[in-house]
Amino acid sequence: MILVTGATGNIGSALLRELHEAGAAPVRALTRDAGRAAFPEGIEAVEGDLAQADSLKAALEGVRSLFLLSGMGAEAEVLAAARQAGVEHVVLVSSITVQTHPHLPAAGENLAVERLLKDSGMAWTVLRPTQFASNTLWWAQSIREQGVVRAPYADIGLPAIHPADIAAVARAALTEPGHHGQTYALTGPERITVRRQVAAIAAASGREVACIEISREEAHRQLAPLLGDETADAVLDLLGGDVNEELLKVRDTVPRVTGSAARSFRQWASEQGAAFR
Ligand SMILES: NC(=O)c1ccc[n+]([C@@H]2O[C@H](COP(=O)([O-])OP(=O)(O)OC[C@H]3O[C@@H](n4cnc5c(N)ncnc54)[C@H](OP(=O)(O)O)[C@@H]3O)[C@@H](O)[C@H]2O)c1
């Protein structure tokens, strides 16, 4: 039995499709609210909260492989519960910031979870993806209502990744040999600037979208009330304020692990056009 956490999210929903199509059996999908979730036929929905490990008893029963998102708050207890339930292998979604920006608090937290997993006695595979293409859904409301994106660092290109490629690597790690004890840094196939992302979304949604570069200070004024000062600063550093070669680097991990080329941002936008109309 494979348990997929974050099953209603960007990676998890793509991973369920991958596992369903590959005929990998059996698969269970975790959500906090099964009433709101719709999963492919044959996939068992189960309720549980990753912030409360004792809510995961039913979800973990009989599970041998676990796909786990980091950052939900109770990783130490969740990993202990998984070990106790007989889980043999965990595929963990961490973040590339562990190696590009280890001084940031969120990166330190991800590294701590990676270490907990490596010390857990279970086999492990760690995925360290870069910025997701799906983060641009943050712009959807402004695009739909005003036909505009206001963003800082509009001409800095980062190798954004299609979440389905993270799922494809996870599927390989969960179902094929050779991935235990591996740490995979994952990126898209090319660096793409905010300006080019906006142009791709405009083309995919069939509408004109202006891209207006704003200052870091203005972006911080918008983000800080939502994220807090420190996280807003960290996000802005990662978007362009403090990038480094390690963050900018395009990696071949996705094609190496999956045997297929990494999907472009343009492809992601073409699949999501409706969200921006
Ligand atoms: N976005 C980026 O650029 C980026 C970069 C590197 C790493 N990451 C990592 O990627 C992961 C996010 O992946 P994603 O984009 O696929 O997720 P997402 O689309 O943001 O969805 C979040 C998922 O997590 C589930 N969830 C949230 N809180 C939960 C809880 N307390 N207990 C159980 N499930 C919970 C939600 O399920 P329900 O609502 O159905 O319960 C949902 O399926 C995070 O670990 C993040 O740190 C993101």
Side-chain angles (χ1 to χ4, degrees):
M1 172 74 76
I2 299 171
L3 176 65
V4 174
T5 72
T8 57
N10 296 303
I11 312 171
S13 55
L15 177 56
L16 290 184
R17 282 194 298 277
E18 286 258 345
L19 291 168
H20 186 63
E21 281 161 21
V27 178
R28 194 178 281 157
L30 185 83
T31 173
R32 287 165 298 173
D33 183 356
R36 276 191 309 126
F39 298 123
E41 210 186 310
I43 288 180
E44 181 190 333
V46 63
E47 283 191 353
D49 189 331
L50 289 168
Q52 295 174 0
D54 55 5
S55 73
L56 299 174
K57 234 185 165 73
L60 285 168
E61 201 177 317
V63 171
R64 292 296 166 264
S65 302
L66 171 63
F67 172 76
L68 182 62
L69 298 186
S70 184
M72 302 297 171
E75 282 78 8
E77 293 79 6
V78 170
L79 289 171
R83 176 81 204 265
Q84 175 78 20
V87 171
E88 293 164 357
H89 178 214
V90 178
V91 176
L92 176 74
V93 177
S94 175
S95 166
I96 204 155
T97 56
V98 167
Q99 62 198 65
T100 65
H101 292 70
H103 58 283
L104 293 179
E109 286 160 22
N110 271 308
L111 181 61
V113 176
E114 290 186 12
R115 287 189 174 140
L116 280 172
L117 173 57
K118 290 173 185 177
D119 292 341
S120 72
M122 296 180 283
W124 53 269
T125 309
V126 169
L127 312 185
R128 291 180 176 170
T130 192
Q131 175 190 101
F132 297 3
S134 46
N135 292 352
T136 59
L137 287 168
W138 291 335
W139 303 332
Q141 188 179 0
S142 163
I143 291 176
R144 283 196 307 268
E145 293 176 1
Q146 299 164 41
V148 69
V149 170
R150 291 185 179 82
Y153 308 117
D155 294 306
I156 291 188
L158 298 172
I161 188 165
H162 192 311
D165 280 333
I166 307 169
V169 171
R171 201 267 309 143
L174 287 163
T175 61
E176 295 170 2
H179 302 292
H180 289 190
Q182 299 291 326
T183 298
Y184 293 130
L186 303 174
T187 74
E190 60 177 351
R191 288 168 54 185
I192 178 158
T193 63
V194 164
R195 222 177 277 287
R196 282 184 51 224
Q197 287 179 320
V198 172
I201 289 169
S205 60
R207 55 173 306 165
E208 273 186 35
V209 185
C211 177
I212 298 173
E213 181 164 82
I214 60 174
S215 67
R216 181 183 177 110
E217 291 66 33
E218 190 174 345
H220 191 274
R221 273 196 296 279
Q222 293 173 10
L223 289 175
L226 304 171
L227 306 176
D229 255 13
E230 190 179 50
T231 306
D233 268 324
V235 166
L236 290 167
D237 283 353
L238 294 169
L239 290 177
D242 180 27
V243 295
N244 53 40
E245 281 312 308
E246 190 67 0
L247 185 69
L248 295 170
K249 193 152 122 191
V250 173
R251 296 158 202 270
D252 66 356
T253 327
V254 169
R256 240 182 334 105
V257 172
T258 67
S260 300
R263 285 162 255 221
S264 64
F265 182 85
R266 228 178 350 273
Q267 172 163 351
W268 181 84
S270 73
E271 294 161 4
Q272 299 290 329
F276 298 100
R277 273 195 283 275

